[in-house]
Amino acid sequence: MFMAIRHAEPTATAPGPDGRDGSAPASARTLRSRLEVLRRHRRWLLPLIVAVLLAQMAAAMITTAVQQTPTIDEPVYVGTAEVYLEQRDLRYNPEHPPLGKLIITSGLAFTDVHLDPGFTGDQTALGRHVLYKAGNDPWRVMLFARLPVIALTLLFGLVVFAFARDLVGAAGGVAALALYAFSPDIIAHGSLATLDVPAAGFLLTSVWLLWRARGAPFRYLPLAGLALGAALATRMNTLAAAPVLLLLAAWSFWSARRTPGLNPGRRGTLRLIAYGVMAAAGVALVAVAVVWAAYLAVDPRPPWTTPRNVPDIGGKRGLVTAWLPVPEPYRDGMRIQFGIEYSTQGGGFLFGRRYFGSLLYYLPAAVLVKTPLGMLALWAAGAVTVLTARRLRPAAAYLLLLPAVLLAVLLDGSRGFGVRYAIFLPMFLAVATAGVLVHRRRWAYGMTAALVVFVAVSSLRTFPYYLPYSNEAFGGTAKTHLHLHDSNVDWGQDLGRLADRLRQRYPDERVWLVYKGSGVPSYYGIDARDPFTAKPEDVRGLLVISNSAVAKAEPGGPLEALVESSRPIDQVGHSITIYRPPRASSTWRRPTPP
């Protein structure tokens, strides 16, 4: 496929001694006829390939969105988005800026969602109220909340294609888009009403526009500022990207204005630096304006009342928070995020071991487990090529510097909850992978095509269970729960599938449920009891436990003892395990009340 796209571009052949094309006449005529066919159809061939790749991605994401029940974070965002829509109030979910939830609101606007104007409660209770207690259909509400994120994810696919095509041509664009479109992590989180994919996609868009600004700074730098502002107005963690993008903005302006091979002299160099600084300042002003616009679009009424749960952050982070020219709700959101970062010491689960505190290598290890093997190989090859190929070396700062900085910031934190925090990696590195095709050799095209097919097969095999995906080296999707937990495998998404399984295979069984998620089991027809509220000998029938709960079970505690004494008999969505308890369960005791 990549060879066909490459050869579809006009080429010239050297004439032979007789004035005709070099090579044997018959083969030359055959080659010319084939190239003519490719040139004739090139106009529709490339758009067709792009459309097919995005169509399969859309089908995968919509299928996932239809089948999955709300994950842990989604009800909060959906409830907050509905408050935005009806009450124009910022009081819920202040730890995240409003733009991502406004995107979700664009889907909810097409549904008749009811919200009790007299509701009082926290953001978690708000989400449950909107989905399960206000007379709404949670299946319909969640689908319409997820559709705008799905559409945005597809648009970011076009950005990946355009960025890679700018670097190495149409074949590189197709290779990058294929990796993006078959990425299990992007499909999984791009089909949810969450903020991870929108924030990362806006960062990628900003970097692509900064790359284009090297040729037309006055056209693309303001657009890059808009994209940066959109990222900042979606998730707080994108703030770490702002200094890098502003440096790239200054460098893009420098590259556009300087004359290659000409020494501008000391005065000319200082002038270019000053212009670059001014260009970066302009990008920053546009980005800040977008952040302000996002907050004013929800609630233009001053003043803002600081929530009770906002911690007092001191030190350098406190100074940065106080001096940033952003709305006061944004500053309070930053303080909440810093407070979460400081207090997130509960530990996690990695490679079958529960740990406490934070692990520096958690996120790289999780990425290694949850990325297709062919994709890992292409990422490595693309990064090396971008760093070593002379033609692509200027792009290294744009494609590799920002992901490296963001990853370093994440490693310094303690967010051992999933690769969704590093969802920018499959976006940026998909574009970097296109660099392999800069060699324009048959082996490069063949290797890339073979590895892309490997990725596609691995991704399609996990359909429609993209959230718990892991590659073949770690046993595949069915074994992910043995290595990782939380949003890597079990985020509460399979409550509906559990209801179907119990109804179809175990219709008359008593069910004991330990569920980790935001869904309400009874709404889906699951009549279950809590095993910790009964005597051990009464736990009979089916014991259903979320795999994340199993992973974080306290050593020597009641849940671990209960699991070890029971026999696993079924799996639901690779995130929930069904056990058969023993006839007399006497190996564990009820937890002592505090």
Side-chain angles (χ1 to χ4, degrees):
M1 178 176 64
F2 304 137
M3 292 293 291
I5 295 172
R6 173 195 171 191
H7 287 304
E9 300 174 2
T11 56
T13 56
D18 57 355
R20 300 177 181 178
D21 291 344
S23 72
S27 61
R29 285 194 297 270
T30 302
L31 179 60
R32 284 199 304 272
S33 63
R34 291 179 179 176
L35 291 177
E36 187 61 33
V37 170
L38 287 173
R39 293 190 192 101
R40 191 180 306 130
H41 296 296
R42 183 175 181 267
R43 184 169 299 178
W44 58 263
L45 178 62
L46 184 59
L48 177 63
I49 294 173
V50 171
V52 168
L53 289 173
L54 291 178
Q56 74 79 29
M57 187 182 195
M61 289 192 294
I62 292 174
T63 301
T64 303
V66 168
Q67 294 185 2
Q68 291 187 159
T69 42
T71 58
I72 289 178
D73 285 1
E74 286 183 292
V76 171
Y77 299 144
V78 171
T80 303
E82 188 59 28
V83 170
Y84 287 177
L85 189 62
E86 294 191 23
Q87 301 178 5
R88 307 291 297 275
D89 199 320
L90 289 163
R91 68 184 184 276
Y92 289 108
N93 196 231
E95 62 265 34
H96 293 297
L99 183 58
K101 289 159 285 187
L102 287 173
I103 293 170
I104 295 171
T105 298
S106 66
L108 296 179
F110 294 96
T111 64
D112 186 20
V113 179
H114 304 287
L115 174 63
D116 183 1
F119 170 81
T120 57
D122 62 16
Q123 60 188 22
T124 301
L126 171 67
R128 291 202 173 193
H129 170 79
V130 170
L131 290 178
Y132 299 108
K133 298 181 180 180
N136 301 308
D137 179 359
W139 291 105
R140 176 179 171 83
V141 172
M142 289 309 308
L143 176 59
F144 276 82
R146 290 164 172 170
L147 285 176
V149 181
I150 291 174
L152 201 57
T153 303
L154 296 173
L155 290 176
F156 292 144
L158 294 177
V159 173
V160 168
F161 170 77
F163 200 167
R165 184 179 60 177
D166 287 349
L167 292 175
V168 296
V174 170
L177 177 59
L179 286 187
Y180 177 89
F182 286 111
S183 169
D185 285 331
I186 294 179
I187 293 174
H189 294 283
S191 60
L192 300 177
T194 54
L195 313 178
D196 303 291
V197 169
F202 285 134
L203 288 179
L204 176 71
T205 304
S206 183
V207 171
W208 170 55
L209 293 168
L210 289 175
W211 173 258
R212 286 205 151 193
R214 293 166 61 90
F218 295 105
R219 179 188 304 174
Y220 291 109
L221 285 178
L223 296 176
L226 289 174
L228 172 58
L232 296 176
T234 301
R235 275 191 73 95
M236 293 290 178
N237 62 1
T238 58
L239 275 168
V244 178
L245 292 182
L246 295 181
L247 286 174
L248 291 177
W251 190 27
S252 293
F253 192 89
W254 169 289
S255 301
R257 302 293 291 180
R258 72 183 180 89
T259 303
L262 180 64
N263 185 2
R266 184 171 179 271
R267 181 174 297 180
T269 300
L270 292 175
R271 186 184 298 114
L272 285 176
I273 293 175
Y275 287 156
V277 171
M278 292 172 61
V283 170
L285 286 175
V286 173
V288 170
V290 172
V291 173
W292 276 92
Y295 279 91
L296 294 175
V298 177
D299 186 3
R301 302 164 298 177
W304 163 255
T305 302
T306 298
R308 296 179 180 178
N309 63 332
V310 175
D312 184 17
I313 302 299
K316 295 180 180 178
R317 292 183 175 183
L319 289 175
V320 171
T321 302
W323 283 97
L324 277 180
V326 291
E328 190 61 32
Y330 197 97
R331 292 197 187 99
D332 284 342
M334 292 176 61
R335 295 184 181 103
I336 294 174
Q337 288 290 347
F338 287 143
I340 293 173
E341 194 68 40
Y342 289 145
S343 64
T344 305
Q345 299 294 332
F349 179 80
L350 181 65
F351 296 142
R353 182 177 68 89
R354 187 184 181 204
Y355 66 88
F356 294 92
S358 61
L359 289 180
L360 187 65
Y361 57 86
Y362 171 85
L363 197 54
V367 170
L368 187 66
V369 173
K370 291 190 62 64
T371 304
L373 297 174
M375 192 176 292
L376 289 172
L378 285 171
W379 285 1
V384 170
T385 304
V386 168
L387 289 170
T388 58
R390 188 172 186 178
R391 173 184 164 187
L392 295 179
R393 207 167 293 157
Y398 295 82
L399 290 176
L400 304 180
L401 178 60
L402 180 60
V405 170
L406 292 178
L407 191 59
V409 171
L410 289 171
L411 295 181
D412 185 56
S414 52
R415 300 293 182 93
F417 303 123
V419 296
R420 64 190 179 91
Y421 289 101
I423 200 69
F424 53 85
L425 286 177
M427 296 184 181
F428 280 86
L429 295 181
V431 180
T433 292
V436 175
L437 301 184
V438 76
H439 297 293
R440 297 190 178 275
R441 298 289 188 270
R442 286 186 179 273
W443 65 263
Y445 285 88
M447 179 195 72
T448 303
L451 289 175
V452 166
V453 170
F454 186 19
V455 170
V457 171
S458 183
S459 178
L460 292 172
R461 287 180 59 193
T462 200
F463 174 88
Y465 307 111
Y466 290 98
L467 200 63
Y469 170 87
S470 66
N471 62 50
E472 292 76 8
F474 294 92
T477 303
K479 302 295 184 182
T480 312
H481 68 281
L482 302 177
H483 308 296
L484 301 167
H485 80 309
D486 208 84
S487 61
N488 286 317
V489 57
D490 168 28
W491 219 15
Q493 74 273 13
D494 285 320
L495 200 57
R497 292 187 177 116
L498 173 63
D500 293 339
R501 183 69 55 83
L502 294 175
R503 186 165 49 251
Q504 294 166 5
R505 296 188 185 179
Y506 314 99
D508 300 319
E509 298 262 17
R510 176 177 291 184
V511 177
W512 304 85
L513 178 63
V514 180
Y515 169 66
K516 184 180 186 298
S518 296
V520 176
S522 60
Y523 176 86
Y524 301 96
I526 300 175
D527 182 13
R529 305 178 185 183
D530 182 353
F532 302 122
T533 61
K535 296 179 180 179
E537 60 270 17
D538 291 338
V539 180
R540 308 280 181 83
L542 297 177
L543 177 62
V544 182
I545 309 179
S546 294
N547 287 335
S548 286
V550 175
K552 293 298 293 290
E554 183 180 352
L559 181 58
E560 183 183 80
L562 182 59
V563 169
E564 290 180 351
S565 67
S566 302
R567 176 171 55 92
I569 61 173
D570 205 350
Q571 277 275 342
V572 179
H574 307 296
S575 73
I576 300 174
T577 302
I578 300 177
Y579 297 86
R580 180 73 69 185
R583 289 186 177 274
S585 183
S586 58
T587 59
W588 63 281
R589 299 178 179 178
R590 295 174 61 186
T592 303

